[in-house]
Amino acid sequence: MTVGTEHEYSINDEHFTALPVSDQIIKSICGRFTGEIRFGEVNLGKELQKTVIEFVPRVPASGPVALEAMLVQGIRKFYHVFPDRYHLLGLGMHPTLTPDRAVVWDHDEGEYYQTYDRLFNIRQHGWLNIQALQVNLSYAGEKDLLMQYNRIRTLLPYLVALSASSPMVEGSLTGAMDNRLIYYRQNQKEIPGICNGIIPARLLSVGEYRRAQEEVYAELRARDAGILCEEWLNSSGLIIRFSRNCLEIKALDEQECIRSDMAFVALVAALLRCPVLPVESDHDGLLSLTETAIRKGTAGLRPELEALYRRAWEQATAEERQYLPVIEDRIARGSLAERIADRFRKEKAIIPILEDMAHCLRANTPYGME
């Protein structure tokens, strides 16, 4: 199995005001406006909102060490080119951004964005203020695909709890730990089949997946939106990317640094090797657990997470065990969202917290584990 990741970071000034300049950054590097460029060991890419830039390892890898090396090199290169001009920030949402300050990419692919806007109104947090860590896992044939798919869907609530990093919206705590998913799961509510409430149903065959996909495509065509009939349309927490021969996990909030991101890669890889896992499999049960994870983070699922961690450690390779202590720390001391919320309640100031988060990314050091 090979793995690839995608990392979305907001672009900020020194006061952590989000800057809609991804196009200017790309142009300053390559001399033109384009959606993706080679940048050392990573590709830099645009997102819908120009306040966010994406880092993707140039090639998939067999494990987290190689991925981490490529991504760290990319972050270092970025700061070498732009040493003090921009400050990159992870987290599932920018904690103070308002949608009116986010600018939509306007150099190519405008027909897609216009169609999305006509159907769903993209001028909202669920489109313009979400940052995900996406994990892509290769599969070897349909049997392997189905095994991984059905295993990962049962893990999604626990991964959501661990990765929650978006407790604040427009400068205020909301009480929820994963506000990104609250907005994300509603951003295409007019066609519910696109997102499926984050948790997909158990899959018995690839044909079943394709038939469900075609039902959504038919509804889009009926709305004169056939341009969106592509495999990337699916916005569930787990989708199949047939063109890449991989599964893509979309439910995770972006973390504060690459090493923390790689801890999730290690965790998922180890859990996929377990013969059996102490997890819920019923769809309604998974939806209920996901709601708990969104609202409470690790605090709502700690005993279950501790049991999963023990299984992961038993099955992990020596390479993966280098990263799993980050997960253990999140379970014991709370997700990033829980820590940010606790600190903000005490200090009543968000900028010092964001300065620390940006430093974590630049130094590749998990928060609280310096």
Side-chain angles (χ1 to χ4, degrees):
M1 182 177 72
T2 60
V3 61
T5 50
E6 302 170 43
H7 308 257
E8 299 169 356
Y9 300 115
S10 65
I11 311 158
N12 300 272
D13 66 14
E14 62 193 52
H15 305 294
F16 288 93
T17 300
L19 302 173
V21 295
S22 63
D23 54 347
Q24 298 300 325
I25 288 173
I26 290 172
K27 184 179 180 182
S28 71
I29 295 169
C30 73
R32 68 188 191 281
F33 295 120
T34 186
E36 186 177 65
I37 60 170
R38 173 78 177 269
F39 189 67
E41 293 301 309
V42 301
N43 292 330
L44 287 185
K46 68 166 178 66
E47 287 296 315
L48 169 64
Q49 65 276 43
K50 292 203 284 187
T51 52
V52 168
I53 195 162
E54 182 180 60
F55 285 66
V56 179
R58 187 170 56 84
V59 294
S62 60
V65 167
L67 286 177
E68 181 182 36
M70 285 186 277
L71 288 156
V72 168
Q73 190 270 358
I75 297 293
R76 288 175 178 168
K77 185 176 177 68
F78 183 90
Y79 278 115
H80 177 75
V81 176
F82 307 105
D84 299 307
R85 188 171 179 182
Y86 304 118
H87 299 267
L88 299 179
L89 184 67
L91 309 182
M93 295 178 68
H94 190 287
T96 63
L97 180 69
T98 55
D100 59 290
R101 293 183 60 86
V103 179
V104 174
W105 180 269
D106 54 3
H107 300 290
D108 55 15
E109 300 186 354
E111 64 275 20
Y112 294 98
Y113 303 149
Q114 290 163 12
T115 303
Y116 270 126
D117 196 32
R118 173 170 60 84
L119 295 180
F120 307 117
N121 177 23
I122 64 175
R123 309 287 172 170
Q124 53 179 299
H125 281 296
W127 289 96
L128 298 179
N129 188 15
I130 49 174
Q131 296 167 219
L133 162 64
Q134 293 170 196
V135 178
N136 299 278
L137 302 161
S138 68
Y139 57 81
E142 182 169 345
K143 182 178 179 181
D144 186 46
L145 182 158
L146 293 173
M147 184 281 292
Q148 288 193 52
Y149 186 96
N150 289 321
R151 171 63 61 85
I152 293 170
R153 68 176 283 274
T154 67
L155 296 175
L156 289 179
Y158 311 99
L159 297 174
V160 168
L162 285 164
S163 69
S165 66
S166 49
M168 180 175 282
V169 179
E170 297 187 20
S172 298
L173 298 176
T174 68
M177 297 297 108
D178 196 328
N179 285 284
R180 181 185 71 91
L181 284 185
I182 290 175
Y183 286 102
Y184 177 80
R185 68 187 178 184
Q186 293 295 317
N187 70 357
Q188 298 168 85
K189 62 183 183 297
E190 292 81 359
I191 305 180
I194 293 177
C195 184
N196 283 314
I198 302 299
I199 304 295
R202 179 175 174 80
L203 195 60
L204 299 179
S205 70
V206 168
E208 182 183 10
Y209 185 94
R210 291 190 183 276
R211 286 190 292 274
Q213 193 176 51
E214 283 300 325
E215 290 177 6
V216 174
Y217 289 173
E219 188 163 357
L220 286 168
R221 294 186 187 105
R223 300 182 184 216
D224 192 27
I227 191 174
L228 301 180
C229 294
E230 302 283 352
E231 66 179 13
W232 42 253
L233 170 82
N234 191 332
S235 297
S236 180
L238 173 67
I239 71 171
I240 303 173
R241 298 299 298 267
F242 296 106
S243 63
R244 301 178 184 173
N245 290 318
C246 74
L247 300 175
E248 182 175 295
I249 302 173
K250 299 170 70 72
L252 307 179
D253 273 10
E254 181 56 82
Q255 300 299 289
E256 82 285 22
C257 72
I258 299 299
R259 191 161 191 85
S260 294
D261 291 334
M262 293 302 104
F264 283 88
V265 171
L267 177 68
V268 172
L271 290 175
L272 283 173
R273 297 189 199 100
C274 293
V276 294
L277 287 175
V279 293
E280 178 67 75
S281 60
D282 174 74
H283 190 253
D284 288 340
L286 290 170
L287 289 174
S288 178
L289 287 170
T290 301
E291 195 64 32
T292 298
I294 286 171
R295 299 296 172 181
K296 297 183 179 180
T298 63
L301 297 173
R302 186 160 285 119
E304 297 92 332
L305 290 169
E306 290 171 344
L308 280 175
Y309 184 82
R310 288 192 292 270
R311 299 293 181 93
W313 186 264
E314 291 170 0
Q315 296 295 327
T317 64
E319 177 180 339
E320 290 159 358
R321 287 183 177 184
Q322 298 177 46
Y323 298 90
L324 287 181
V326 176
I327 300 299
E328 184 178 35
D329 184 68
R330 295 286 200 264
I331 295 170
R333 299 171 57 198
S335 64
L336 273 183
E338 292 161 85
R339 298 187 200 189
I340 290 169
D342 288 345
R343 183 173 165 187
F344 182 76
R345 291 188 191 101
K346 295 173 184 175
E347 299 180 6
K348 309 298 183 185
I350 190 60
I351 298 302
I353 299 173
L354 300 186
E355 288 173 343
D356 287 349
M357 294 294 164
H359 172 75
C360 287
L361 179 59
R362 194 161 182 169
N364 194 31
T365 305
Y367 182 67
M369 298 182 71
E370 296 86 349

